[in-house]
Amino acid sequence: MSAVHAYHGQGGDIFAAHAADGPHNAYTDRPAMLALAGDVAGLRILDAGCGGGHYAAEFVGRGAEVVAVDGSATLVGHARALLGDRAEVQQHDLDTPLDFAGDASFDGVVCALVLHHLTDRARFLGEVRRVLRPGGWFLLSTTHPVSDWRYFGGSYFDESWVEFPQADGLTMRFQRMTLESLVTEVLDAGFVLERLVEPRAVEALRAINPERYVRLTERPSFVALRLRR
């Protein structure tokens, strides 16, 4: 993600641990994104904001060639430890051009729960479109605007930067956006919207954490888009 808002040091360690098997990542957003991707065998995929490498590992396991990048050296370390030599992993600030990638060099791009951390979303979206081949897909997930509104209150149309406390003292800093802003930004970048989903927890979470399962199936937490170049 953005190097400014990435999880560094101990924050990166905590984030990687929660992403591995936490309700929001492992049982809600990640299954939804994998479902949106469909068959990825033989595809070359960029994981933009790879975190601890858990999404990349799933795509590699399904037969894709993956390049994974993140703005945090700590999370790049976790991703390399998880992926080994099965994927190319490097540190890169997503608020800067994707200068490591050529035009039309990927079949798909995944950006999971990262967009709201970026300070130059328009440039990032333009870069994603550049590195995608014609007809390639872009999977994008972010915090649900209604969830943010419920938590922070005030105007739904407030798009200020906020801080959200998480477990173990970790704080997430991100910019709120409306659903209108999200969809308008990706359309203005030249993408075609194929599908919009509001991920709910998968059934497997019910036995592990029934209270969180109910919460994540009754209230929106994330929104995910499948886009086409």
Side-chain angles (χ1 to χ4, degrees):
M1 64 176 67
S2 161
V4 175
H5 301 120
Y7 298 112
H8 301 287
Q10 185 180 15
D13 295 333
I14 293 171
F15 176 82
H18 281 285
D21 56 10
H24 289 85
N25 292 86
Y27 292 93
T28 307
D29 185 73
R30 196 149 67 236
M33 293 286 269
L34 293 171
L36 283 176
D39 183 10
V40 299
L43 300 185
R44 187 167 191 259
I45 296 175
L46 171 64
D47 186 349
C50 67
H54 302 97
Y55 292 76
E58 294 283 357
F59 287 117
V60 168
R62 288 162 168 77
E65 174 190 350
V66 176
V67 176
V69 301
D70 198 275
S72 163
T74 302
L75 288 173
V76 165
H78 282 283
R80 285 176 176 160
L82 178 64
L83 292 160
D85 60 1
R86 296 183 296 150
E88 177 186 339
V89 183
Q90 58 180 286
Q91 186 175 0
H92 184 83
D93 182 352
L94 294 180
D95 271 326
T96 65
L98 305 177
D99 51 13
F100 59 87
D103 295 355
S105 56
F106 289 96
D107 300 297
V109 175
V110 179
C111 182
L113 305 179
V114 172
L115 189 71
H116 48 291
H117 294 292
L118 302 183
T119 58
D120 195 345
R121 296 196 299 261
R123 178 164 64 180
F124 171 71
L125 293 172
E127 280 291 278
V128 169
R129 192 173 188 281
R130 178 185 67 79
V131 304
L132 271 175
R133 64 168 178 80
W137 50 254
F138 177 29
L139 305 184
L140 171 66
S141 64
T142 188
T143 60
H144 199 296
V146 170
S147 177
D148 295 339
W149 182 37
R150 285 175 58 99
Y151 181 82
F152 292 103
S155 171
Y156 168 80
F157 298 99
D158 180 2
E159 296 193 335
S160 59
W161 285 86
V162 292
E163 293 191 355
F164 179 72
Q166 297 179 283
D168 298 318
L170 190 64
T171 298
M172 178 173 70
R173 179 170 169 77
F174 67 97
Q175 186 177 15
R176 292 174 58 181
M177 69 181 88
T178 64
L179 187 60
E180 177 183 330
S181 294
L182 173 62
V183 174
T184 298
E185 286 180 17
V186 296
L187 295 181
D188 285 350
F191 291 101
V192 175
L193 176 60
E194 292 190 330
R195 192 174 176 196
L196 183 153
V197 300
E198 296 167 302
R200 274 86 89 189
V202 294
E203 181 66 26
L205 182 61
R206 188 198 295 268
I208 300 169
N209 191 332
E211 181 180 350
R212 189 59 61 88
Y213 172 82
V214 169
R215 181 178 177 184
L216 289 173
T217 52
E218 291 184 348
R219 306 176 186 177
S221 295
F222 307 123
V223 59
L225 311 178
R226 179 181 170 100
L227 305 150
R228 183 74 63 178
R229 185 195 189 284

